[in-house]
Amino acid sequence: MLAFGNPEEEPGEEFGAELGIEEFVLGRGTGNQSFVMHMLVPRFVATICSAENDDSCGHKARFSDVVWWDAEPSAKEVNDLLARALASIQKIEKHQENQIKQKISDALLLAEERFDIERHNFRDIGERLEAQAEELAIIAEEQQLNIEKRAEAEKALRLSEERLQIQVSELIDSEERMAAQAQEMVWLAEDLQAAEQKMKFLANHDALTLLPSRRLCLKYLKDILAEERTEGEKTAVFFIDLDGFKAINDTLGHEAGDAILVGVADRIRDLLAPEDMAARIGGDEFIILLKEVTSRDSVKLLAETLIEQVNIPFSLDGEEARVGASVGIAFSLDDGTTAEKLLNCADKSMYAIKKKGKNNFGFFSDL
């Protein structure tokens, strides 16, 4: 049997009714003039070929590759079936031909409409080009008549451009000078602001060690004493005087003495919590404020550690220098309720340590 496509494709079952056969399907095969017929009663499958010959023969149609399931029908039945199948095929082809002609007709109409549109557009373009050409001719005549005036105008324009360039250059130079002056003013303002901040800082801090000054230390102590405290919570005040500092100043010079003061300030600062404060109140004297103290033992431990750190030798240009520390300690509530009183008590305790042999610490309450 010849190869063919799906038997149920076009033209479909509706043409089976025209052939007068029940359960009839007619579909196109692999060639343009080849159709496949499938019938159930009598049951067979056949390929119907339709081919165009010359005018004398007309159309010819034949069955080929017939496969039977039931008894073979009579010759008359086959001829009738062939005639009806051929008529159906021709109707299908006629229908397709009419569709193709309609599509061609629609395409021609659309092409004519587009041609008319393009023709009108072309006519409009031509008219616009003619109008533009006329305008250009008029302009050319006017330009020809005014050549001398145009030359003078061009000369004046060149002079104006030169003057404008000079003015622009002068303006750029002026803007650059103004920008430089503005930048200088910005730098000056920044310097002034930095100087003002530095003055504010130095008004409350020691210029050498950068520790808070005596005035700032007293203010902080007054603020601490004014705060409400829980039971058993006190503030401790350390009054520190360096031992052996004058000898270093006398033998190694003031620069070495300044280096010692800066080193001692750094060592004290490293021992304190953020809420505590260390201050230099003049010469070789320092103050420490411990904001929240709950036990005497913790203060004693800090005093011992402080003396140990101060006793570590300092290296000054390859030479070692040593100082000690005499420390007097006073507690709020126990020794005084005002800042001045506490500083005075701590100072007295420090002088008592000096008399006993220096480089040690003591409490005012033990005097």
Side-chain angles (χ1 to χ4, degrees):
M1 182 172 179
L2 293 177
F4 55 85
N6 186 354
E8 296 184 358
E9 292 182 353
E10 66 170 59
E13 296 183 358
E14 63 271 15
F15 293 101
E18 295 181 9
L19 296 176
I21 302 172
E22 293 184 6
E23 300 184 15
F24 169 82
V25 178
L26 183 64
R28 185 176 294 278
T30 57
N32 290 334
Q33 300 298 327
S34 176
F35 292 83
V36 176
M37 182 174 67
H38 171 208
M39 261 182 13
L40 295 181
V41 181
R43 291 186 296 174
F44 69 90
V45 176
T47 301
I48 302 175
C49 297
S50 173
E52 289 189 4
N53 282 340
D54 54 35
D55 295 338
S56 61
C57 295
H59 291 281
K60 289 187 178 181
R62 62 186 177 82
F63 279 120
S64 65
D65 304 307
V66 177
V67 178
W68 298 94
W69 278 267
D70 295 335
E72 184 175 355
S74 64
K76 183 177 184 305
E77 289 175 340
V78 173
N79 290 335
D80 291 342
L81 181 61
L82 177 60
R84 290 196 299 272
L86 183 58
S88 178
I89 291 170
Q90 290 174 346
K91 183 175 180 180
I92 294 169
E93 292 177 342
K94 184 66 175 177
H95 177 70
Q96 293 176 343
E97 182 180 355
N98 289 338
Q99 287 183 333
I100 293 172
K101 287 181 178 180
Q102 184 63 41
K103 290 180 180 179
I104 293 173
S105 177
D106 293 342
L108 289 174
L109 289 174
L110 180 60
E112 288 178 359
E113 291 177 357
R114 291 182 178 176
F115 177 76
D116 290 340
I117 293 172
E118 294 298 331
R119 183 175 58 187
H120 288 302
N121 292 338
F122 182 76
R123 185 183 297 114
D124 293 339
I125 293 172
E127 292 175 354
R128 287 197 298 270
L129 290 175
E130 290 178 1
Q132 292 175 356
E134 292 177 359
E135 292 178 359
L136 289 174
I138 294 172
I139 293 172
E141 291 176 359
E142 292 176 352
Q143 289 180 345
Q144 185 66 29
L145 294 174
N146 297 317
I147 289 177
E148 294 181 359
K149 293 182 179 180
R150 184 173 61 188
E152 293 177 358
E154 290 176 353
K155 183 178 179 180
L157 179 61
R158 284 196 298 271
L159 292 175
S160 299
E161 289 178 349
E162 292 174 357
R163 292 173 183 171
L164 180 61
Q165 289 177 354
I166 293 173
Q167 293 176 356
V168 169
S169 298
E170 293 176 350
L171 180 61
I172 291 174
D173 292 341
S174 177
E175 289 180 349
E176 289 177 350
R177 288 195 298 272
M178 291 177 64
Q181 292 174 355
Q183 185 61 50
E184 290 178 358
M185 292 180 66
V186 170
W187 290 337
L188 179 59
E190 291 176 351
D191 291 342
L192 290 173
Q193 185 178 10
E196 183 180 359
Q197 292 176 350
K198 185 176 181 180
M199 290 177 63
K200 289 181 179 179
F201 180 83
L202 293 177
N204 295 304
H205 291 78
D206 175 50
L208 178 62
T209 63
L210 303 182
L211 289 176
S213 64
R214 180 186 183 92
R215 186 170 67 87
L216 184 59
C217 180
L218 280 173
K219 182 180 181 303
Y220 186 60
L221 181 55
K222 290 177 181 179
D223 293 339
I224 292 175
L225 296 176
E227 294 178 357
E228 294 184 2
R229 299 300 181 91
T230 59
E231 185 176 355
E233 189 176 83
K234 302 176 183 179
T235 296
V237 178
F238 285 44
F239 200 107
I240 306 167
D241 185 84
L242 299 183
D243 301 323
F245 178 75
K246 185 177 182 302
I248 291 176
N249 259 345
D250 294 340
T251 57
L252 300 179
H254 290 287
E255 290 185 2
D258 289 345
I260 293 292
L261 293 174
V262 172
V264 169
D266 291 339
R267 293 178 183 181
I268 293 174
R269 190 185 289 111
D270 291 339
L271 296 176
L272 302 183
E275 66 272 12
D276 300 331
M277 176 182 285
R280 182 189 177 204
I281 61 174
D284 59 348
E285 294 180 335
F286 298 85
I287 291 176
I288 293 177
L289 303 180
L290 302 181
K291 183 178 179 181
E292 298 174 354
V293 174
T294 56
S295 69
R296 185 183 174 107
D297 291 339
S298 62
V299 175
K300 179 180 178 181
L301 178 61
L302 178 62
E304 292 172 347
T305 304
L306 171 63
I307 294 172
E308 290 176 0
Q309 290 296 314
V310 173
N311 289 164
I312 296 174
F314 291 92
S315 178
L316 302 176
D317 295 332
E319 296 185 14
E320 284 191 354
R322 295 174 179 269
V323 293
S326 296
V327 183
I329 305 171
F331 291 97
S332 63
L333 300 180
D334 295 341
D335 303 324
T337 57
T338 66
E340 291 79 3
K341 178 64 175 176
L342 286 174
L343 285 177
N344 188 40
C345 292
D347 187 22
K348 290 180 179 180
S349 178
M350 181 271 295
Y351 275 108
I353 295 298
K354 286 274 190 185
K355 291 179 179 180
K356 290 181 180 179
K358 303 180 181 181
N359 201 37
N360 205 340
F361 69 93
F363 298 98
F364 178 78
S365 59
D366 294 338
L367 293 180

